[in-house]
């Protein structure tokens, strides 16, 4: 992935924090895998006639897992924020240094507020995307592979149902990916121009008052706003369509599990606890699969930021 390759030098400056961040994230995956077993075992014990000691043991175990998860979430969120801020700053500075090495004519052709908004927004999007992808790819891969092995051992039919719905995700993504990219590009460009037009109203306040040109400046801002408004609605519409199909596929996949799993329970091939475990793993795998297809949409969106940043960095510095 070209964006990850681009970010690699920046990520390497945070190796210690990044390693701890990934380890803690993997511990979170382990919790997600173990928790369904704990709950399923508890339900089966209740059905078989558990005593008070079983309930107390479950409460202690469940409480311990929950507290550990809260602490893990706090540490990972703090590590993420520290890394994202530092990486975003480093990339910002590198882009600004490159602009300073270009000819004066380059800067003169660009609106300062527009360029600043564009650089800051794009650098933040790129660095946040890289950190999120690095963490979530590892986590969700584990949350797909391990439950898939368990499902394959216990019930191949349920695994086949899940894989069929994953195929639907692939089809939906390939049908919509180009439109997601195009509308994202237009929206980001119009957004940067919109913020620049608002800054322009304040930057030239003295000139506006002296020459009494307020109506002209406001008309210019209105024109930029209408463009921004139209692209924002189009971008939201295509993203809503994509996420709606995503939700529909997930709903039908869950219904399929209820039908198959319910019949297995009725026929005595599943216990209630085991059905709960299957249901939990099914949701975990679907959520993880949905991540990879939402990642595809996110990649199309952040590609806009990457391409705009590379357009700047590929500009040749002024020769001395």
């Amino acid at each position: 992935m070209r964006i990850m390759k681009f970010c690699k030098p920046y990520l390497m400056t945070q190796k210690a924090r990044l390693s701890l961040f990934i380890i803690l994230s993997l511990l979170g995956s382990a919790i997600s895998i173990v928790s369904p077993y704990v709950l399923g075992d508890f339900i089966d014990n209740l059905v078989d006639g558990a005593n008070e000691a079983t309930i107390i043991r479950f409460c202690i175990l469940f409480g311990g897992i929950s507290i550990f998860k809260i602490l893990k979430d706090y540490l990972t969120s703090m590590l993420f924020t520290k890394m994202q801020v530092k990486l975003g700053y480093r990339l910002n500075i590198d882009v600004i240094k490159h602009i300073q090495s270009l000819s004066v004519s380059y800067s003169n052709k660009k609106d300062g507020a527009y360029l600043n908004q564009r650089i800051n927004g794009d650098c933040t999007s790129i660095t946040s995307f890289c950190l999120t992808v690095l963490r979530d790819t590892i986590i969700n891969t584990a949350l797909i592979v391990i439950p898939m092995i368990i499902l394959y051992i216990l019930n191949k039919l349920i695994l086949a149902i899940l894989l069929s719905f994953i195929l639907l995700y692939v089809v939906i993504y390939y049908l919509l990916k180009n439109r997601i990219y195009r509308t994202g590009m237009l929206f980001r460009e119009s957004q940067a121009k919109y913020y620049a037009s608002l800054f322009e109203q304040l930057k030239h306040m003295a000139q506006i008052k002296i020459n009494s040109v307020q109506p002209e400046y406001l008309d210019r801002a209105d024109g930029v706003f209408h463009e921004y408004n139209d692209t924002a609605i189009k971008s939201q519409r295509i993203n809503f369509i994509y996420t709606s199909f995503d939700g529909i596929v997930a709903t039908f996949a869950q219904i399929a599990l209820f039908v198959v799993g319910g019949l297995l329970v009725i026929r005595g091939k599943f216990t209630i606890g085991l059905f709960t475990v299957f249901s939990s793993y099914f949701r975990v795998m679907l959520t993880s699969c949905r991540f990879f297809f939402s990642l595809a949409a996110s990649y199309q969106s952040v590609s806009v930021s990457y391409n705009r940043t590379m357009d700047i960095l590929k500009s040749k510095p002024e020769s001395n």
Side-chain angles (χ1 to χ4, degrees), residues 189-208:
E189 284 290 334
S190 64
Q191 184 183 51
K193 290 177 183 178
Y194 170 66
Y195 288 132
S197 72
L198 295 180
F199 177 75
E200 181 186 50
Q201 305 296 316
L202 301 176
K203 180 181 179 182
H204 302 296
M205 189 179 295
Q207 179 183 337
I208 291 171

Side-chain angles (χ1 to χ4, degrees), residues 249-316:
V249 172
T251 299
F252 278 103
Q254 195 68 53
I255 290 172
L257 173 65
F258 289 153
V259 172
V260 175
L263 290 173
L264 290 173
V265 171
I266 292 172
R267 293 169 184 172
K269 295 181 180 180
F270 263 15
T271 63
I272 299 296
L274 190 58
F275 175 75
T276 303
V277 172
F278 264 67
S279 180
S280 297
Y281 278 152
F282 199 77
R283 284 196 299 272
V284 166
M285 290 181 67
L286 272 180
T287 301
S288 295
C289 290
R290 291 167 72 182
F291 158 76
F292 283 105
F293 293 102
S294 65
L295 170 63
S298 299
Y299 181 78
Q300 294 298 325
S301 177
V302 82
S303 289
V304 175
S305 296
Y306 171 78
N307 289 334
R308 297 199 309 179
T309 302
M310 293 307 296
D311 285 342
I312 295 174
L313 295 176
K314 287 178 180 177
S315 299
K316 294 182 179 180

